[in-house]
Amino acid sequence: MSSIKTVEVHAPEQQTEGGFFVSRLDALINWSRKNSLWPLPMGLSCCAIEFMAVACSRFDMARFGAEVARFSPRQADVMVVAGTMTYKMADIVTRIWDQMSEPKWCISMGACASSGGMFRSYPVVQGIDEVVPVDLYISGCPPRPEAVLKGLMTLQDQISEEQHGAEVVAQLKDAIA
Amino acid sequence: MSWIAAFTEALGDAAENVIEEAHDEGNHPFVRVRAESIVEAARALRDKCGAEMLHQISGVDYAEHMEVIYHFTRVTRDPGFLCLKVSVPRDNPVVPTLAHEWRAANWTERETWDLLGIRFDGHPHHYRILLAEDWVGHPLRKDYEPPTEYHGIDCTQ
Ligand code: SF4
């Protein structure tokens, strides 16, 4: 469970009276980003049912800050494509992806979304990475909720290593100077 | 009396012109009717033989000809399935629509058009229902060639 403790917290150099702690600003920014991932459930077929289980109390995605499923692309951070994408649907998925504001990530959940799964037939897109950039693939048909949580945590790890926090700090420094 | 006998009786004198073949044996008896008379036949089946529900319209491509199959259900009296078939030529598959008689026919006829390319004359919304509107071809036809590209997506993988 290394992913939960990725904030770099430097021990306070001297004891202060209040509850202070010292960290690096860029780590803090990444930490807040990775723990408030609002998913957009792009449920296209059976995997979506499994995704609902992930969000419900037994598996409880809320523990990782991702409980607020948003059906509006404007409010979502991570698009979870759960299911079989047809060519007809591909246009809509790309459009919704384009409507999401940065920063945004995309999880391809299940065999169908990742590769077309068992459907090598005329209407099915052979993997959503044909149309949208995918950050993370989750295998399984459907993936177990644990696998989805593991995927979410892996994405969190990726986010905590992103340069975004450092970029914000650099911009702040420029603004102050 | 089997429903086929009742159906023939209900059609009266017209029966000769309407019915092409009656298959009364086995588990799936059916009547093959002439394509032009399908509306008349379906009406007789509903009004005189108690076929209250049209629960499915399907199509088959037999490579030499195409077929439309109408599955009716009798619910209240003597429950059971009643089946009409229509054969159409492959190069010009047209059948009169039942959408004005049964609302249920509306979508199932559109589906048969979408996947097999059988046209339903007089249908109020004769558009594709499942595939994208600009899709080329009818995938359940035996000579269907899947597209190589759709809206910039490579389909050949
Ligand atoms: S991967 Fe399996 S469970 Fe998921 S959408 Fe495809 S068929 Fe359904």
Side-chain angles (χ1 to χ4, degrees), chain A:
Chain A
M1 296 278 242
S2 62
S3 54
I4 299 180
K5 51 167 178 54
T6 38
V7 190
E8 286 187 38
V9 180
H10 296 267
E13 289 179 359
Q14 62 195 55
Q15 198 65 40
T16 47
E17 282 183 19
F20 288 100
F21 77 95
V22 180
S23 170
R24 292 201 345 255
L25 186 57
D26 55 340
L28 188 67
I29 290 170
N30 277 346
W31 177 80
S32 62
R33 262 156 55 115
K34 85 179 171 84
N35 284 305
S36 61
L37 280 177
W38 288 11
L40 172 95
M42 177 58 71
L44 302 177
S45 57
C46 16
C47 270
I49 306 295
E50 206 67 9
F51 187 76
M52 289 174 214
V54 187
C56 289
S57 53
R58 189 181 176 98
F59 297 99
D60 197 12
M61 218 164 46
R63 293 177 293 158
F64 306 95
E67 77 275 29
V68 200
R70 290 286 128 166
F71 293 90
S72 159
R74 314 259 183 237
Q75 299 167 344
D77 304 303
V78 49
M79 178 164 83
V80 185
V81 182
T84 324
M85 187 162 80
T86 57
Y87 287 107
K88 190 180 180 182
M89 201 64 196
D91 284 351
I92 297 157
V93 173
T94 3
R95 191 156 166 188
I96 288 179
W97 172 254
D98 290 344
Q99 286 176 352
M100 284 170 66
S101 50
E102 295 274 359
K104 56 186 175 183
W105 297 273
C106 177
I107 294 182
S108 160
M109 176 181 170
C112 284
S114 304
S115 69
M118 61 180 136
F119 304 107
R120 180 63 204 103
S121 61
Y122 61 89
V124 177
V125 182
Q126 301 299 295
I128 61 161
D129 45 12
E130 300 273 333
V131 294
V132 288
V134 178
D135 291 282
L136 192 105
Y137 300 86
I138 305 174
S139 65
C141 175
R144 290 272 319 161
E146 291 91 330
V148 180
L149 291 179
K150 169 78 176 147
L152 194 73
M153 284 152 60
T154 314
L155 185 68
Q156 288 182 330
D157 285 351
Q158 282 178 22
I159 293 170
S160 63
E161 275 150 32
E162 275 180 8
Q163 286 301 307
H164 177 81
E167 280 165 21
V168 174
V169 173
Q171 280 169 13
L172 276 176
K173 274 187 188 157
D174 282 355
I176 295 167

